[in-house]
Amino acid sequence: MKSKSQQNEWSSGVWAHLTTVRRQSPLVQCITNFVSMDLVANTLLSAGASPAMVYSVVEIPDFTPHIHALCVNVGTLTPDWLPSMKAAAEFASKLGKPWVLDPAAVSCSGFRLKACLELVELKPTVIKGNGSEIIALSSASRGHTKGADSSHESPDAIEAAKSLALSSGAVVAVSGAVDIVTDGKQVIGVHNGTKMMQKITATGCSLAGLVAAFLAIDSSRALEATVSAMSVFGIAGELGEAMANGPGSLRMHLIDSLYGLDETTVLKRVNITRLG
Ligand SMILES: Nc1ncnc2c1ncn2[C@@H]1O[C@H](COP(=O)(O)OP(=O)(O)OP(=O)(O)O)[C@@H](O)[C@H]1O
Ligand SMILES: Cc1ncsc1CCO
Ligand SMILES: [Mg+2]
């Protein structure tokens, strides 16, 4: 059971993070899959950040040094894209810029699993996946996922997430009914969101992009920034669902709700607890 003062502490932190993103409008480079490019970019814009879907390997040396954060998502990975992802991740790590790895459908092939393991070596600040993806990546062995969707509830992934966080040095975030965020020691649960968000493709990818934006404005507190981004996205989903008739209109209302989030609503709806 969370105490009121703990809850208030989280709530005011979430609101402070969102207002800082709106004020600073961090530039977030997203090398993400074709399915998600539109929703990720619109999510970032609605939150007040500045998205750039720059992914050609020839542009990375000029562009990546100017970004504030990077998001890499392997959802439609091909051998042509991997060098871009690695080059951008290397720049980000070398220049001390935060970056997020989304190991989308990591266990769908040996190629993708190997690529993700190589990307983990490049020191992501945060690894954000669904339960299946975090379990597969953590055990570094081939599993069985249903394409890009999760077949595990996120609590199954807590131990896997902690172990991946400790071995990689990243904060690990698991999206699901309860989002889990851990640095290997602390485990935080974010209880915002709605089930129907799973019926819109690329909500998880968009969440990873949003995490990158929040890291950009508070990179020394990666766990807290990640928790805030997850709560904000979940609240936007909750508000969106109240106006929606199904997934299509939820997609639209989620974006509108994210754009319009105000302090009273955030303070009232943040639902974060310490799980360990
Ligand atoms: N059962 C649920 N209840 C509440 N929120 C949920 C539920 N399932 C998912 N969510 C929310 O939906 C969003 C996307 O999470 P999800 O785990 O579906 O991502 P994903 O599998 O990576 O999606 P995609 O690969 O399509 O981008 C997150 O904000 C998460 O909190
Ligand atoms: C459906 C789908 N297939 C590859 S990436 C993607 C978007 C969700 O990850
Ligand atoms: Mg995903």
Side-chain angles (χ1 to χ4, degrees), residues 106-129:
V106 56
S107 54
C108 76
S109 72
F111 164 66
R112 197 174 294 207
L113 179 59
K114 182 168 175 285
C116 285
L117 291 172
E118 288 166 5
L119 287 163
V120 169
E121 290 298 310
L122 300 175
K123 296 275 162 224
T125 316
V126 172
I127 301 168
K128 145 41 216 157

Side-chain angles (χ1 to χ4, degrees), residues 33 35-36 73 75-76 104 112 148 201-202 205:
N33 64 73
V35 185
S36 73
N73 178 311
T76 49
R112 197 174 294 207
T201 192
C205 313

